[in-house]
Amino acid sequence: MILAVCLNPTMQKTLVFDSFHPGEVNRVVDERLDASGKGVNVARVAVELGAPAVHLTHTGGREAERFRQLCRADKVDLADVVCDSEIRFCTTVVDRSTSTTTEIVEPTQPVPAGTEEQVLARFAELLDRADTVVLSGSTAPGYSADLFPRMVRLARTRGITVIADFRGEALKNVMDSPRELLPTVIKPNLKEFAETFLFGGARSVSEHSDDQQTLQRTEKQMRRLHEAGTTVILTRGAHPTMMIDETGALVQIPVTPLDPVNTIGCGDAFTAGLAVELRAGSSLSDAIDRAHAAAAMNATNLKPGSIRPV
């Protein structure tokens, strides 16, 4: 099965407006509430694609039981470590008049001492059933920057495919591992990649950037990581996805243009599609094509992190 790990659980509120005007009274024409966070989204889309998946996270506080109920309703197998950390809310504002999606992200509550070791122990148990591990997103305060790297090394020691969809210090730490313990695939978007490997916090780059100097520097770093022993897949929103193929050549795979309804969860749908296809034995280019298709289905769906119309 696919083990999808994200240590930042979220209750996602989606509000739809025919037209949204800041500073004025705005009336909602449609709304929904979903269990979310990158790991929930990956697991949900994987299940919708027909693959077995389990989501590992922590839960706690007033919304914990509702979070579990929403996961059950979506047939997401939840492996949760219970602690006192409240689950955050995030709100999506969908403006139909401009076809734009705005995300309002609440701060994440810290997890108490001891939660990390409980999560790591549960992760080790779940590896007995996993053939693919997806590690996604940022971790809540209270977790160390070395937790995801420890998980990668533990899974790779067992020969399990690992897709790393996270950024920052944790991603840099994991790339210091011996070749045989590196992630099978790293899958940040351009903004996350540039902030991790090129500019740190000194400069921000849009996920949709087409700046040639930035792209040239990105390609050079992608080649270094490829030569170190990991596959790099770099998404760029509506721009072609970049990867270094088995021969060392840069390949750009175009994205099909569409009119989005809600773009929240598109990257997670891509990751889920990629994981499902790679575990089925598809080639890297075919897996990316099908991952694009999953992301496109998510974008045309109001429900975030889902490819089934609602």
Side-chain angles (χ1 to χ4, degrees):
M1 56 91 171
I2 296 171
L3 175 54
V5 182
C6 178
L7 302 175
N8 210 341
T10 300
M11 299 291 284
Q12 191 81 32
K13 185 80 169 178
T14 303
L15 304 177
V16 181
F17 301 84
D18 284 333
S19 182
F20 185 80
H21 303 281
E24 299 183 16
V25 174
N26 292 272
R27 298 193 182 279
V28 174
V29 297
D30 198 1
E31 57 86 25
R32 62 177 302 112
L33 179 69
D34 297 284
S36 193
K38 296 177 76 64
V40 171
N41 296 342
V42 169
R44 182 163 50 221
V45 173
V47 169
E48 291 170 350
L49 289 170
V54 174
H55 173 46
L56 172 62
T57 192
H58 63 266
T59 58
R62 294 162 295 183
E63 297 296 332
E65 186 52 39
R66 182 155 56 159
F67 182 86
R68 296 184 194 108
Q69 290 172 354
L70 289 169
C71 285
R72 285 195 294 269
D74 288 335
K75 297 182 172 53
V76 172
D77 187 354
L78 181 64
D80 57 327
V81 171
V82 178
C83 66
D84 293 332
S85 178
E86 292 281 351
I87 297 175
R88 70 175 178 176
F89 272 80
C90 292
T91 303
T92 304
V93 175
V94 177
D95 185 344
R96 287 176 172 169
S97 68
T98 58
S99 297
T100 57
T101 302
T102 302
E103 181 76 350
I104 301 169
V105 179
E106 294 186 7
T108 302
Q109 297 298 309
V111 296
T115 306
E116 177 165 329
E117 293 309 317
Q118 292 180 57
V119 167
L120 191 60
R122 191 68 181 277
F123 177 78
E125 293 172 1
L126 290 167
L127 285 183
D128 291 338
R129 299 163 48 200
D131 52 53
T132 303
V133 169
V134 178
L135 300 166
S136 298
S138 58
T139 55
Y143 290 114
S144 71
D146 195 46
L147 177 55
F148 272 0
R150 290 169 73 188
M151 288 179 167
V152 171
R153 294 173 194 129
L154 187 57
R156 294 297 293 143
T157 297
R158 301 194 190 189
I160 296 170
T161 297
V162 175
I163 300 174
D165 186 11
F166 52 92
R167 58 185 170 83
E169 286 301 314
L171 184 54
K172 287 196 286 188
N173 287 352
V174 80
M175 297 311 297
D176 289 334
S177 303
R179 187 182 185 94
E180 65 274 12
L181 299 182
L182 291 173
T184 315
V185 176
I186 65 171
K187 195 246 92 183
N189 62 38
L190 177 60
K191 176 182 174 65
E192 295 164 340
F193 187 90
E195 290 177 354
T196 299
F197 294 110
L198 302 184
F199 307 120
R203 177 180 165 191
S204 182
V205 174
S206 169
E207 175 186 357
H208 309 278
S209 174
D210 213 13
D211 176 70
Q212 291 305 302
Q213 185 176 13
T214 298
L215 293 179
Q216 288 170 6
R217 291 188 61 182
T218 296
E219 179 182 347
K220 288 180 181 179
Q221 182 61 30
M222 289 175 69
R223 290 187 183 282
R224 292 189 191 104
L225 296 173
H226 174 81
E227 291 166 2
T230 197
T231 297
V232 184
I233 297 173
L234 199 65
T235 57
R236 301 170 53 217
H239 293 296
T241 294
M242 299 167 61
M243 75 165 181
I244 305 296
D245 71 9
E246 296 84 349
T247 69
L250 176 70
V251 177
Q252 300 201 48
I253 301 176
V255 178
T256 302
L258 52 79
D259 294 321
V261 173
N262 183 3
T263 57
I264 301 302
C266 284
D268 307 325
F270 179 100
T271 302
L274 184 73
V276 169
E277 290 300 324
L278 290 180
R279 78 186 290 269
S282 297
S283 69
L284 197 56
S285 58
D286 284 347
I288 291 174
D289 280 337
R290 288 161 190 165
H292 280 160
M297 285 187 282
N298 180 91
T300 55
N301 193 11
L302 183 61
K303 182 175 182 175
S306 176
I307 61 172
R308 289 180 179 167
V310 294

